[in-house]
Amino acid sequence: HSVPAAAMQRVAIGSDDGTASLWVFDCEELFCDAVLTSAEGEGEASRPGHGAAITSIDFSISGRKPLVATSSQDKTVKVWDVNGVLKSTLSSPGHVRHDAHTDYVNRVRWFPTGPLAATHVVTCSDDCTAGVWNVATGQREFRSPTEANDGHLSPLPMFSFNRDASMILTCSYDKTAIAWNTSNGSAYKYFPSRHAKQGRHSEAIWAARFAPMT
């Protein structure tokens, strides 16, 4: 390709058709650099892909070679290199029961900073849990609980990191948000607090963010 490396911009796009693509462009040229996934049963039989809609996609921001993570309604997360080669599948049906997500995976994000930035991702799911995954081993090292007074009781549409990635903030259709410690999975703070009389939401919570300075 003739696009200078320094001028290239790279984007990844995921679709309801179960496919994702990697594109490279500058002000003059645009080309598809790789197909990261193929829907199950379509395209090359040797190219494993998602069997349902892709719900989110994220690039790693550290490490020698960037990686791309995709989450899907097929209950899995897949990690690819930028050439479209599958590196690992997280939450696959072959994992032990407590590891795998049992419903749609709504979001996947690489750790944005810190020692886990190139090696771990966080996910949240319609199965009411969030988790921290080791990409190399494929194991979920932290799984949020779903028991009353400990975790969420309804699906989690999204989460966000605080500035140093020591915590994630999850939100849920159960009308609550919870800040979690990413190092040990403990709940740090509930929003609203369990006994609060003010600040309670009457409907599902779809978005929650840490302020940039926290």
Side-chain angles (χ1 to χ4, degrees), residues 95-118:
H95 285 191
V96 293
R97 185 179 300 273
H98 72 274
D99 257 355
H101 281 301
T102 58
D103 210 329
Y104 296 169
V105 183
N106 293 318
R107 180 159 295 199
V108 61
R109 291 289 181 266
W110 292 89
F111 272 74
T113 188
L116 304 183

Side-chain angles (χ1 to χ4, degrees), residues 16-77:
D16 271 1
D17 65 9
T19 70
S21 55
L22 187 67
W23 297 80
V24 176
F25 71 96
D26 69 357
C27 62
E28 296 180 350
E29 297 189 57
L30 169 68
F31 55 88
C32 184
D33 202 34
V35 176
L36 298 182
T37 64
S38 296
E40 298 288 359
E42 298 180 10
E44 300 175 38
S46 61
R47 183 184 290 276
H50 286 293
I54 291 176
T55 55
S56 72
I57 192 164
D58 195 35
F59 284 98
S60 63
I61 59 174
S62 63
R64 294 182 179 180
K65 297 181 180 180
L67 296 171
V68 180
T70 53
S71 63
S72 173
Q73 291 181 354
D74 68 5
K75 309 175 188 178
T76 72
V77 170

Side-chain angles (χ1 to χ4, degrees), residues 34-36 47-48 67-68 79-88:
V35 176
L36 298 182
R47 183 184 290 276
L67 296 171
V68 180
V79 178
W80 313 80
D81 68 19
V82 293
N83 297 314
V85 177
L86 180 65
K87 307 300 288 185
S88 64

Side-chain angles (χ1 to χ4, degrees), residues 129-169:
T129 71
V132 174
W133 297 81
N134 184 317
V135 171
T137 65
Q139 296 300 306
R140 180 150 60 162
E141 298 181 350
F142 146 50
R143 178 185 184 275
S144 64
T146 56
E147 295 79 12
N149 299 320
D150 290 321
H152 289 294
L153 302 178
S154 297
L156 281 58
M158 67 156 291
F159 64 87
S160 64
F161 288 97
N162 69 336
R163 184 176 60 178
D164 64 1
S166 62
M167 289 188 288
I168 59 169
L169 180 64

